[in-house]
Amino acid sequence: MSFLILSEISENLQRGKAKIVVELVQKALDEGIAPDAILNEGLLAGMNVIGEKFKNNEVYVPEVLVAARAMNKGTAILKPHLVAAGVQATGKVCIGTVQGDLHDIGKNLVKMMLEGKGLEVIDLGTDVSPETFVQTAINENCQVICCSALLTTTMGVMEDVVKKAVEMGVRDKVKIMIGGAPVNEDFCQKIGADCYTPDAASAADAAVEFCKG
Amino acid sequence: MKQWLSDMIASDTKTALPILSFPSVSLMGITVRELISDSDRQAEGMKLVADRVKSAVAVSLMDLSVEAECFGATIRVSDEEVPTVIGRLVNDEDEATALEVPAVGTARSGLYVESIRKAVQLITDRPVLAGIIGPFSLAARLLDVTEIMMDCYDEPDMVHTVLEKCTAFLIEYAKAYKAAGANGIIMAEPVAGLLSPALEAEFSSPYVKQIVEAVQDDSFIVVYHNCGDNVLRMTESILSTGADAYHFGNSIDMADMMAKMPTDTVVMGNVDPAGVLRQGAPDTVREATLKVMNKCCSYPNFVISSGCDIPPATPWENIDAFFATVEAYYNHQ
């Protein structure tokens, strides 16, 4: 019975059926299934399938977004139960679009893929200063800072984030990842960031590895 | 213009057709903010570019904030970058229903049409194309780019309502460019390239087709531009728009696209405008340009171009290197 309902949660999440996912998550809790099992074998299992399909071009941005929304609504039901059971996220990341840049579709997609991997994500939004990135990482004990940029005129701020992390004495404690249309591996190495990823799925994989330590 | 396209395909020596307009700011010593506010400067900029480079056409600004601003969207303007739409103008079905279709001339649209009117007087040695946004990409700016992706599933009727109004405006806007003397438009539909093929076929191509059918004729072409990731999987739908020519971005292998496109249709792309043209050096520009040309020039309908709009601060030595590479390639051939 528990396997069936967890499978239903996963499948409805993959179809983006947020309302049904919420109902099923509550039903699973009512049946006494452990919250972390609902999370891992229901919600995150569904997002993993979506993530792999996205990598393989079997689903696209809209499908990932509706699936992630279903996951977030299901997770919201679980959260107090997870906290009570002492279940923690597998890592913590702060993400934002750099100062001067207001484009956020890529950042939003990465955020959802990160959450789909079980990471806790602090979304700083757009137009984020280097100080905000680093101070947030310090305050929230983030293992990773993810910086997004769409403009060639704003990508330089990513280097300022790296410098700010050095200045604030946390460069060795936090990994800095970058992404966005104008950036590439050469730029990542040039500015001293830790990782460039070309798409949301690989960003999520990289962040998981960084959080493992 | 249809004959011009046919002649281009028939010619063994092709002229590059990059989306090149914003870098005129450095030729004139002005800011982007000044350029987008002044039709004289826009026309002058197009003329300066045309005098400097051997491009197949002169292209006006690919400024994807103009149309959204006409509907009432808030835009952020800076000295150095193309303007950005911020916020969400339409939030629900009621607001979509109440959304009014603006008249051409609203906000900066009149200024941009005027720039074309002036440009065609100055540039007489090549066609002049006006930049315009595509319907789904415009709707995305009114509904928010992230939200519209989910709205396609949750609120399809609302999205269609907004698309109908966007299309109605874009038809009149394109007609205004036509009346001003433009030889065609380049219609940018990048957000549609993020959709699944099924959603693109429902929410983009049918509306693009309406615009094409309303304005395209023997003397006025529509160039369809889409630099999105998924275009290789939606070629059938994209071709159903009936545009006279197509332009694709650097997220794809151009050779893969050439294999899918009909050989009697001009297809263009796709040197990376940001990573290569803006941030590279002349030698890396040459290398990247030759890479695309070596793979694609065997197709008679291929025309070398940038993958998208070339950023304002792109060094002219890089742009010059691009054109020099193209010229040398065909001279060698």
Side-chain angles (χ1 to χ4, degrees):
Chain A
M1 177 66 78
S2 70
F3 173 76
L4 273 176
I5 196 168
L6 297 180
S7 178
E8 281 179 53
I9 289 171
S10 170
E11 287 178 21
N12 280 283
L13 180 150
Q14 292 171 48
R15 290 201 291 271
K17 302 293 183 187
K19 199 174 165 191
I20 298 175
V21 166
V22 166
E23 289 168 0
L24 288 171
V25 166
Q26 187 60 58
K27 187 177 174 190
L29 285 168
D30 294 341
E31 289 179 2
I33 298 172
D36 62 326
I38 301 171
L39 175 69
N40 290 317
E41 296 168 48
L43 297 172
L44 296 187
M47 273 309 292
N48 268 335
V49 173
I50 284 291
E52 287 305 305
K53 285 187 172 180
F54 186 54
K55 276 188 210 175
N56 297 330
N57 299 308
E58 295 171 53
V59 298
Y60 300 86
V61 170
E63 292 77 32
V64 174
L65 292 175
V66 295
R69 184 179 54 185
M71 181 194 70
N72 286 337
K73 287 192 186 279
T75 306
I77 302 292
L78 277 183
K79 198 161 185 182
H81 302 273
L82 291 168
V83 171
V87 176
Q88 293 182 329
T90 51
K92 205 164 182 182
V93 178
C94 62
I95 189 170
T97 306
V98 297
Q99 194 163 35
D101 203 322
L102 301 174
H103 298 90
D104 65 357
I105 176 74
K107 183 267 296 178
N108 290 343
L109 200 56
V110 171
K111 175 195 167 183
M112 291 181 178
M113 297 295 279
L114 292 169
E115 288 174 335
K117 291 288 187 183
L119 297 170
E120 183 181 347
V121 182
I122 306 204
D123 185 355
L124 297 169
T126 60
D127 195 16
V128 182
S129 71
E131 176 149 359
T132 300
F133 274 116
V134 180
Q135 193 63 59
T136 301
I138 292 171
N139 294 347
E140 300 288 337
N141 294 316
C142 298
Q143 290 116 308
V144 182
I145 294 173
C146 289
C147 301
S148 171
L150 191 77
L151 304 174
T152 54
T153 45
T154 59
M155 55 192 278
V157 176
M158 293 174 168
E159 185 170 13
D160 295 336
V161 175
V162 175
K163 288 177 179 174
K164 184 59 73 172
V166 171
E167 180 189 313
M168 294 175 79
V170 294
R171 185 65 187 96
D172 58 337
K173 298 183 181 59
V174 65
K175 296 295 185 186
I176 299 174
M177 293 175 54
I178 66 170
V183 304
N184 53 31
E185 181 60 38
D186 286 346
F187 180 74
C188 176
Q189 291 183 18
K190 179 184 161 199
I191 68 169
D194 292 292
C195 179
Y196 157 74
T197 49
D199 56 68
S202 55
D205 289 340
V208 165
E209 289 305 307
F210 281 140
C211 288
K212 284 178 184 172
Chain B
M1 285 301 289
K2 284 204 195 307
Q3 187 59 52
W4 178 80
L5 287 171
S6 296
D7 292 345
M8 187 183 281
I9 293 174
S11 174
D12 291 331
T13 302
K14 310 248 194 280
T15 309
L17 200 160
I19 303 180
L20 175 59
S21 52
F22 273 105
S24 65
V25 288
S26 58
L27 298 179
M28 293 186 285
I30 63 173
T31 64
V32 171
R33 186 191 302 268
E34 289 170 319
L35 182 66
I36 66 169
S37 312
D38 189 326
S39 60
D40 283 326
R41 281 173 161 163
Q42 288 183 30
E44 181 190 350
M46 290 173 68
K47 172 66 172 161
L48 287 171
V49 170
D51 286 347
R52 182 175 180 129
V53 297
K54 194 179 169 188
S55 58
V57 303
V59 184
S60 73
L61 301 181
M62 187 181 268
D63 177 352
L64 303 189
S65 71
V66 175
E67 300 86 346
E69 190 183 18
C70 293
F71 276 87
T74 303
I75 64 165
R76 180 188 280 194
V77 178
S78 78
D79 285 344
E80 295 161 351
E81 261 302 341
V82 181
T84 310
V85 174
I86 55 176
R88 177 174 179 162
L89 185 71
V90 177
N91 293 281
D92 54 39
E93 181 80 52
D94 288 342
E95 289 183 9
T97 302
L99 183 69
E100 290 191 5
V101 180
V104 175
T106 305
R108 288 176 293 136
S109 59
L111 185 159
Y112 276 51
V113 173
E114 190 58 23
S115 73
I116 286 291
R117 199 186 314 280
K118 292 173 181 174
V120 298
Q121 302 299 317
L122 299 174
I123 302 165
T124 55
D125 63 346
R126 67 197 73 181
V128 173
L129 302 184
I132 189 174
I133 196 171
F136 187 80
S137 301
L138 175 54
R141 276 156 175 76
L142 302 181
L143 286 162
D144 181 84
V145 175
T146 304
E147 294 298 324
I148 196 174
M149 300 280 160
M150 294 183 278
D151 289 338
C152 286
Y153 279 107
D154 297 340
E155 301 277 356
D157 291 343
M158 177 183 71
V159 178
H160 282 297
T161 297
V162 175
L163 280 166
E164 285 159 12
K165 296 183 181 187
C166 291
T167 302
F169 173 76
L170 291 172
I171 287 174
E172 295 308 311
Y173 193 32
K175 284 181 177 176
Y177 277 129
K178 191 174 184 179
N183 302 105
I185 54 174
I186 296 184
M187 187 189 309
E189 186 67 325
V191 184
L194 298 178
L195 298 172
S196 65
L199 289 182
E200 190 280 336
E202 179 179 351
F203 291 104
S204 174
S205 283
Y207 294 97
V208 173
K209 184 176 179 181
Q210 286 183 42
I211 299 168
V212 169
E213 290 179 345
V215 300
Q216 185 169 271
D217 59 28
D218 288 349
S219 65
F220 190 86
I221 61 171
V222 175
V223 179
Y224 172 100
H225 164 78
N226 190 333
C227 52
D229 294 345
N230 304 318
V231 290
L232 283 167
R233 290 169 207 90
M234 44 180 73
T235 50
E236 192 177 326
S237 177
I238 287 172
L239 284 167
S240 76
T241 64
D244 274 331
Y246 297 85
H247 187 282
F248 298 105
N250 49 285
S251 64
I252 63 164
D253 186 325
M254 199 66 207
D256 290 342
M257 180 57 81
M258 295 311 299
K260 287 176 165 283
M261 299 296 279
T263 55
D264 62 352
T265 302
V266 170
V267 181
M268 299 172 271
N270 74 336
V271 176
D272 183 351
V276 172
L277 289 166
R278 168 67 180 90
Q279 298 174 75
D283 59 339
T284 55
V285 168
R286 180 175 182 278
E287 183 185 336
T289 304
L290 280 176
K291 187 176 178 183
V292 177
M293 294 185 79
N294 285 332
K295 286 175 94 169
C296 299
C297 285
S298 58
Y299 291 93
N301 57 320
F302 172 72
V303 176
I304 184 70
S305 179
S306 54
C308 194
D309 193 26
I310 297 175
T314 300
W316 273 97
E317 60 175 359
N318 288 357
I319 298 171
D320 292 339
F322 169 79
F323 281 98
T325 302
V326 175
E327 186 166 358
Y329 178 93
Y330 284 111
N331 285 344
H332 180 71
Q333 296 290 91

